[in-house]
Amino acid sequence: MTGEKKIEKWNRISGFILLIIGVMTAWGSTSLSMGKFKHPGPGFLPFGLGICLIILSLILIFKSWKKEISPTPLWFQRTWLRPLLGVAILIFYAIVIEQLGFILTTFIFLLIWMALIERLKWKTILSISVGTTIVLYLIFAFFLEVPLPKGFLKLG
Amino acid sequence: MSDLLGMFQGLMNGFGIAFTLNNLMFALLGAFLGTIVGILPGLGPAATISLLLPLSFKIGSPVTSIIMMAGIFYGAMYGGSTTSILVNIPGEAASVVTCIDGYQMALKGRAGPALGISAIGSFIAGTLGVIGLTFVAPPLAEFALKFGPPEYFSLTILGLLMATLLGGTSILKGLIMIVLGLLLGSVGLDPISGAIRFTWGFFMLQEGVDFVTLAMGLFGIGEILYNLEKELKTELVTKKISHLWPTLKDWGESKWAIVRGSFIGFFIGILPGGGAVISSLVSYAVEKKVSKHPEEFGKGAIQGVAGPESANNSAASASFIPLLTLGIPGNAAIAMIFAALLIQGVQPGPFLITERPDVFWGVVASMYVGNAMLLVLNLPMVGMWVQLLRVPYAILAPIIVLFCCIGVYSVRNTVFDIWVMGIFGVIGYLFRKFGFEPGPMILAFVLGPLLERSLRQALLISAGSPWIFFNRPISGSLMGVLLLFILFQIFITLRKKWSKRS
Amino acid sequence: MKKIKKIGWLLACCSLLLPLSLAGAQDKFPSKPIELVVPFAAGGSTDVLARLVAKFAPKYFDKPLVVINKPGGGGVTGTEGVVRSAPDGHTLYMGYGSGHDLVMPHFQKLPYKTFEDLTSVCRLSVHSILMIIRSDAPYKTMKEFVDWGKKREQVTASVSTKAGSVDISFQAVGKTTGLKMVTVPFRGGAESVTAIVGGQTDCGGNHPSEIISHIKAKRLIPIAVALEQRDPAIPDVPTFKELGYNVVTVGSVKGVAAPKGTPPEAIRYLAERFKKVCEDQEFIQAMKDIGQPVMYLGSSDFAKYMKEGFEQYGKLIKEFNIKLE
């Protein structure tokens, strides 16, 4: 875990984000009826939580304000690239799975992931992709009878 | 005295019933199925039992079907901790706490001992739980009845505050995560008033966020995204995988944690609703407080695994108590067992022990047998699981992601859930970057609805007076413990600050 | 590695050619297992009823009945699922006549039309609404309870589901008796029973099947029932009407419904077979053991009954000016 001191600037940023969330929550809760103490409504607890969040985030900001140490950057040398790729491939999976069906999409997912992110040898990529897709299909669709999308090719 | 003798005799009869070949077979089947169910994301013990109910009619005797279902229930507990330790993904809410130190142990090459002590601890706890069930069930169940909304509120708040101890080094950040988790728990249709909260028009969010989605996203995807930053060409665990089994030293360090966990789990587990989760939290907090090296917690302290795992298993045993003695099901899986009994003509309730002693004692004995079976099943598999960590992370990571996607999809058959999981994955990743621990958040998420429900019910009962939380004996004591806890924490923090100055 | 690659390709091609689903010829009903959707959590009275029926079904149905739980939204989620399913008679809604069918539409708009989007198949049982008290309470009858309650700021009743049939009935009771009745909602019957047994509230509202074991154990005493006439399962319990409080309901009705557009032959088949189940002696006895009376009513009679019940609740709500808070 990164030392506490080094992430003070980030604490300030996260503090501000949380503050905004807190305000939005409290604000949103007022549109839900809060009821009275005798009869608390749906907005009761969220409002209270929003206030708590505001207080806590202010404390966080305050604590980090005092220390102006130059922080370690969160990302450096494009370390954000691989996680971003990961997210992108995941998004692809979500978009495509109902169109192409489970089998194809899973296969392509594995191919792209191992090729782009990990850059393994093609032989490894192919065999793992095929094998994993089959095994996963067998476990979930066959053994557990989980309904998986078939896509327009109606595979599965 | 004759009462005790009678109980002992009943138990012996029960063992006689449990040890028939048929029942043993079904106990094994149940345990096996349960373990698989616990490991695989998405399917939970309640759903599995529901699927197998029609099968249970054909088995014939109600005792046999409960034996199998109890096996599934326990097995799921075991399986859930396996994924927590190996890949930091909690199988169910009661295993979230296990992730914290369990996964750290795995990263240090100690997955074997973690899994091993988890299995052993669960076995001992389950056994102690069954013993407890045998001898103190009825009076304890009566006591559990006294827990009403104010008590649940106090207990849940106490549990949540203990979760701040899971918040890494910063209690402030832990509190923030708890608040966020509580807010997340209120997304969706409010059951008490029918109002729809925080769904921003997404119909799919009306039922709220699902635990599986949150767990897979926050823990699974989040962790993987975080790990992607480093080019891990090799295995996740580069340290040589040392012993496969817990060492004597491990055992010495954990044995009291196991005993404490068993007791904590048993007493909290009796309470209908939320027993296992809260008991794992309390156990972790107790272990951390009692330990001579509290700084080890969060880095792979074996007590952080032994305690909570024992707690959630004895809680599982204890959750049968309200069912068998009062006829009140405490959670979804037990409710299924309850339904199964009713359909087979067995009335769970205060008369069960006298009217159908074969069912009562047969179940009790089989719980013991089931626990033993799980130990026998799981210990050999530890070696197999540990090998999993040897798979190059480059290959393991996308497979885990796929597991998460399918698991999440299987809950409601909608791609929307995969999106939500993805969003939480990114959030989980950012949390780790900014130094926030996701553990307290997901726990607060799970306990949030119970907290809010109890709060509102309590205020309805008290006509708005908050004193109800303090002037009832149980709730008052819990609140007292809460206050002491807070004061103690403040005291410690202040003392640290003073000693820094001087 | 080369060999693995070859085998891998072979397997891949095979898996692509694998199960191309055969479009099944579906002219005989039923052509596959029938789904019985229970829009409540497992273990509740509706769920138990469904599973009991499913247990006896193989004797009379050509295909098995499979019970599926789809809880949520007070029953609305699961019901909506059935409404939107294919109207081929293989997906049925169990619990037609529950709170969200007869009561909720009076207060809020549902995402479907209860009486138009669903077709009645038959009625299976009726769960009456009982007022119960603990056996060690300082009051033993309805009259004593009212006298006791008048002296207090408020009286609490544990109920399942906010704005369900029980909740509304109890609010009506509050209005007729002049008591300040505060209904405390819990998640379903089992939880609300736990509350009253534990003495968390002054009284409770439940169905007979939920408390039968507690009545036997002499922990709980039913003091009134909200029906037109006494419930045959518990004939010693007077109706509210007899006691002078005009709270009359149809209770919580448990029937079976199919989505609109289901072919009439399918409905006829289902109604006939369910009737056979209801006439089975073992089934009747099993139902009796769990406190649920077998009350079969055929499709058209049931549809009429549902309409009447709905209107009755409407009248109750209007007469006592019951509001959703």
Side-chain angles (χ1 to χ4, degrees), chain B residues 108-110 237-243 390:
Chain B
K108 290 189 178 152
R110 302 236 298 150
V237 183
T238 42
K239 292 215 172 94
K240 181 170 190 303
I241 296 187
S242 45
H243 318 271
R390 293 283 200 92

Side-chain angles (χ1 to χ4, degrees), chain B residues 50 53-54 57 142 145-151 189 191-194 203 206-207 272-273 326-329 332 335-336 338-340 342-345 347-351 355 450 453 456-464 472, chain C residues 42-44 47-48 51-52 54-55 65 67-69 71-74 77 80 108 153-154 156 161-162 182-187 190-191 193-194 197-201 209 212-214 216-219 286 289-291 324-325:
Chain B
S50 159
L53 257 187
F57 302 151
E142 285 294 332
L145 273 184
K146 302 237 185 316
F147 268 74
E151 283 71 32
L189 195 69
I192 299 191
S193 69
F203 170 71
Q206 254 191 22
E207 290 306 312
L326 295 172
I328 295 174
M336 292 281 5
F338 177 65
L342 278 183
I343 295 171
Q344 308 209 44
Q347 274 276 3
F351 294 113
E355 281 179 6
L450 177 64
R453 237 178 13 245
R456 290 162 78 174
Q457 286 164 345
L459 287 177
L460 277 176
I461 293 176
S462 72
R472 284 160 65 119
Chain C
D47 179 64
V48 173
R51 294 187 189 274
L52 197 59
K55 183 176 177 205
L65 294 185
V67 176
I68 310 236
N69 297 89
T77 312
E80 192 182 354
Q108 53 195 161
E153 185 197 342
Q154 64 172 32
T156 53
T161 335
K162 178 87 186 167
V182 171
T183 52
V184 183
F186 288 86
R187 283 184 314 170
E191 265 198 29
V193 171
T194 313
V197 171
Q200 309 298 336
T201 52
S209 58
I212 190 172
S213 65
H214 298 284
K216 213 163 130 197
K218 300 221 186 340
R219 273 183 191 269
D289 289 337
I290 57 173
L324 249 198
E325 298 168 55

Side-chain angles (χ1 to χ4, degrees), chain B residues 28-263:
Chain B
L28 190 64
L29 181 65
F32 180 66
L33 280 174
T35 314
I36 297 188
V37 160
I39 292 175
L40 293 171
L43 208 58
T48 315
I49 296 179
S50 159
L51 284 174
L52 292 172
L53 257 187
L55 179 69
S56 76
F57 302 151
K58 304 211 179 80
I59 297 178
S61 137
V63 188
T64 315
S65 46
I66 303 191
I67 287 177
M68 184 176 82
M69 291 188 273
I72 296 178
F73 187 46
Y74 282 121
M77 283 288 174
Y78 271 73
S81 36
T82 308
T83 51
S84 301
I85 293 173
L86 291 177
V87 285
N88 201 31
I89 302 181
E92 76 266 310
S95 311
V96 172
V97 179
T98 314
C99 287
I100 300 175
D101 280 84
Y103 185 59
Q104 292 301 319
M105 282 182 72
L107 288 179
K108 290 189 178 152
R110 302 236 298 150
L115 289 168
I117 206 80
S118 174
I120 296 175
S122 296
F123 172 69
I124 296 180
T127 310
L128 285 175
V130 173
I131 294 179
L133 197 161
T134 315
F135 295 110
V136 295
L140 220 51
E142 285 294 332
F143 176 69
L145 273 184
K146 302 237 185 316
F147 268 74
E151 283 71 32
Y152 277 99
F153 178 75
S154 310
L155 185 65
T156 317
I157 284 229
L158 187 61
L160 280 179
L161 245 53
M162 298 206 163
T164 58
L165 290 177
L166 307 171
T169 40
S170 166
I171 293 197
L172 178 65
K173 286 187 174 174
L175 278 174
I176 291 181
M177 294 308 275
I178 289 179
V179 172
L180 283 178
L182 289 175
L183 277 173
L184 205 58
S186 63
V187 168
L189 195 69
D190 169 31
I192 299 191
S193 69
I196 303 183
R197 302 192 287 196
F198 304 123
T199 57
W200 299 301
F202 284 109
F203 170 71
M204 279 289 165
L205 282 179
Q206 254 191 22
E207 290 306 312
V209 178
D210 188 72
F211 172 80
V212 177
T213 318
L214 190 61
M216 298 285 136
L218 218 52
F219 284 82
I221 310 281
E223 179 76 21
I224 290 183
L225 288 178
Y226 188 66
N227 284 337
L228 278 183
E229 284 192 343
K230 322 165 203 149
E231 300 252 355
L232 277 177
K233 279 281 172 229
T234 53
E235 304 87 58
L236 187 60
V237 183
T238 42
K239 292 215 172 94
K240 181 170 190 303
I241 296 187
S242 45
H243 318 271
L244 210 55
W245 304 113
T247 60
L248 273 175
K249 178 163 172 282
D250 290 331
W251 173 245
E253 287 173 352
S254 330
K255 60 179 186 229
W256 288 116
I258 294 177
V259 172
R260 281 189 289 262
S262 307
F263 274 94

Side-chain angles (χ1 to χ4, degrees), chain A residues 35-103:
Chain A
K36 333 153 241 210
F37 258 92
K38 257 194 212 194
H39 204 252
F44 192 72
L45 192 69
F47 183 75
L49 290 174
I51 302 286
C52 283
L53 196 55
I54 294 177
I55 298 177
L56 289 171
S57 53
L58 283 172
I59 298 180
L60 188 65
I61 297 175
F62 182 63
K63 277 179 76 172
S64 64
W65 206 272
K66 296 191 286 185
K67 306 179 186 163
E68 271 295 331
I69 305 179
S70 64
T72 37
L74 278 184
W75 290 282
F76 52 88
Q77 263 187 344
R78 312 217 302 183
T79 46
W80 45 261
L81 184 62
R82 278 155 49 102
L84 191 64
L85 277 176
V87 175
I89 302 180
L90 188 61
I91 292 178
F92 159 78
Y93 194 79
I95 296 180
V96 157
I97 187 164
E98 293 212 306
Q99 261 64 264
L100 286 186
F102 172 75
I103 299 182

